[in-house]
Amino acid sequence: MINIKYFFKFAADILLFHGIFMKLTNTSEYALRILTYMAKDPGQLYTAKSLIEKLKISDKYLRRLMTTLSKEGFIYSIQGRDGGYSFKKQPNEIFLADVVNAVEGMDTYAGCVLGFEECSCENPCVMHSTWVKVREEFMSVFTGKTLSDLDFELAKRY
Amino acid sequence: MINIKYFFKFAADILLFHGIFMKLTNTSEYALRILTYMAKDPGQLYTAKSLIEKLKISDKYLRRLMTTLSKEGFIYSIQGRDGGYSFKKQPNEIFLADVVNAVEGMDTYAGCVLGFEECSCENPCVMHSTWVKVREEFMSVFTGKTLSDLDFELAKRY
DNA sequence: TATATATACTACATATATGTGGCAAATACT
DNA sequence: AGTATTTGCCACATATATGTAGTATATATA
């Protein structure tokens, strides 16, 4: 899930700055943060402890998420001493959309921006075409890129 | 605020359909639903009662929203018998981004898709450029269109 | 078998978004 | 002044997302 907010902000020099706030839910953020981190070195076995320390995600929340990601087939887990998590599917088989979908659940549908049930191309609301433009950009990016299609060389993080 | 979810859905013919769920918060949906409805006939005075019936928004929630929209300067309100709401700013002066921003509050900022505080073009996360593409599409559409730039002829709704 | 270390699960706690109830205040009309 | 109709406001109720606590279970090693 993604949250988007617009904002206005005064810079120090009194310049009016008109920007956007667009944010995944913490849950989706965490899932992508974890998997993109693991994708840098996909062969490794990662303990919850190491992920928590490295990625600043709260202990129990991360563990619950790992269980979800495991049940969804992205990773497998090994219990007991010397246990941990590693990839089950390869990173180049995992699309960004799949990750978001998995952790957010599938009990949703493509909705009208104004919340109308009956909105469609044949019977559009006043914002239909406007919204479709935004949605299609998001769709093409998130369904078109896998975990291994990201900027691992550019990013100095982790 | 906007919530986006991906979804998979089986059509009747067993075709696997891979789509997107992308949704404003109810609050933003309501605000846009109300203002786009009013923008079809901007000169009129609208009672809360008529808006509730027409737009299927719960009584008290709509009234609270109208007060917000009024305080934010989009509309003015007339109390008492024969009172109601009407535009203060003209619809062609109200950008979609302004509406979302007004009802969601301004205590936010443009964030990293993975939730990193320090993420920027100079110090990007692995998803930075990917996310910027999506965000800029949303930004250009919502800061580029006003309430009067919508498809009033096409939409049979209301 | 005992111990250390790891994941799995359940239930609860907190924060935020959303929705509701009741009453006060304003205004037109009689 | 009295009444009907309308907006304004406060406090609470509910739903969902997020975060935490405690305990059970699994496994490598000694």
Side-chain angles (χ1 to χ4, degrees), chain B residues 19-141:
Chain B
I20 278 184
F21 180 68
M22 192 169 177
K23 185 187 177 303
L24 291 164
T25 59
N26 289 2
T27 301
S28 291
E29 265 184 28
Y30 292 164
L32 286 173
R33 213 191 291 179
I34 293 163
L35 292 177
T36 56
Y37 173 63
M38 290 173 63
K40 268 194 85 172
D41 190 357
Q44 215 179 310
L45 193 69
Y46 295 89
T47 64
K49 199 178 170 190
S50 73
L51 295 172
I52 289 161
E53 285 171 358
K54 204 74 181 176
L55 303 177
K56 317 289 182 195
I57 302 173
S58 74
D59 188 326
K60 298 303 169 67
Y61 207 73
L62 177 133
R63 290 171 190 281
R64 196 194 298 171
L65 239 183
M66 296 310 278
T67 303
T68 301
L69 294 174
S70 176
K71 283 179 179 167
E72 294 287 336
F74 299 121
I75 59 177
Y76 63 86
S77 66
I78 298 176
Q79 288 192 33
R81 181 167 170 173
D82 298 349
Y85 305 94
S86 196
F87 278 109
K88 189 171 174 187
K89 284 177 82 170
Q90 289 308 303
N92 64 11
E93 299 169 332
I94 300 174
F95 288 87
L96 300 178
D98 301 338
V99 177
V100 175
N101 179 58
V103 298
E104 296 292 346
M106 324 224 282
D107 55 340
T108 53
Y109 58 93
C112 167
V113 63
L114 298 180
F116 291 112
E117 290 294 336
E118 337 75 43
C119 186
S120 64
C121 291
E122 292 75 34
N123 183 27
C125 73
V126 290
M127 283 190 63
H128 187 77
S129 65
T130 301
W131 190 239
V132 163
K133 274 191 69 182
V134 176
R135 179 151 62 198
E136 297 208 327
E137 178 63 23
F138 181 78
M139 188 182 219
S140 74
V141 169

Side-chain angles (χ1 to χ4, degrees), chain A residues 2 6 21 109 123 142 157, chain B residues 2 6 21 101 109 123 142:
Chain A
I2 296 179
Y6 278 91
F21 182 67
Y109 56 95
N123 183 26
F142 268 64
R157 216 167 305 279
Chain B
I2 296 177
Y6 277 89
F21 180 68
N101 179 58
Y109 58 93
N123 183 27
F142 269 63

Side-chain angles (χ1 to χ4, degrees), chain A residues 68-113:
Chain A
T68 302
L69 294 175
S70 175
K71 284 179 176 166
E72 294 287 337
F74 299 122
I75 58 177
Y76 64 87
S77 66
I78 298 176
Q79 288 191 32
R81 183 167 167 170
D82 298 348
Y85 305 94
S86 195
F87 277 108
K88 188 172 176 187
K89 286 177 81 170
Q90 289 309 301
N92 63 12
E93 299 169 333
I94 300 174
F95 289 88
L96 299 179
D98 300 338
V99 177
V100 176
N101 181 59
V103 299
E104 297 292 346
M106 324 223 284
D107 55 341
T108 53
Y109 56 95
C112 167
V113 64

Side-chain angles (χ1 to χ4, degrees), chain A residues 137-155:
Chain A
E137 177 62 23
F138 181 79
M139 190 181 218
S140 74
V141 169
F142 268 64
T143 64
K145 288 204 176 194
T146 71
L147 291 180
S148 56
D149 296 328
L150 304 175
D151 300 327
F152 291 102
E153 306 79 31
L154 221 68

Side-chain angles (χ1 to χ4, degrees), chain A residues 120-139:
Chain A
S120 65
C121 291
E122 292 75 35
N123 183 26
C125 72
V126 289
M127 282 190 63
H128 188 77
S129 65
T130 301
W131 190 239
V132 164
K133 275 192 69 182
V134 175
R135 178 151 64 199
E136 298 208 326
E137 177 62 23
F138 181 79
M139 190 181 218

Side-chain angles (χ1 to χ4, degrees), chain B residues 6-23:
Chain B
Y6 277 89
F7 73 105
F8 293 89
K9 189 179 177 184
F10 283 96
D13 54 4
I14 321 295
L15 170 70
L16 184 57
F17 179 57
H18 189 151
I20 278 184
F21 180 68
M22 192 169 177
K23 185 187 177 303

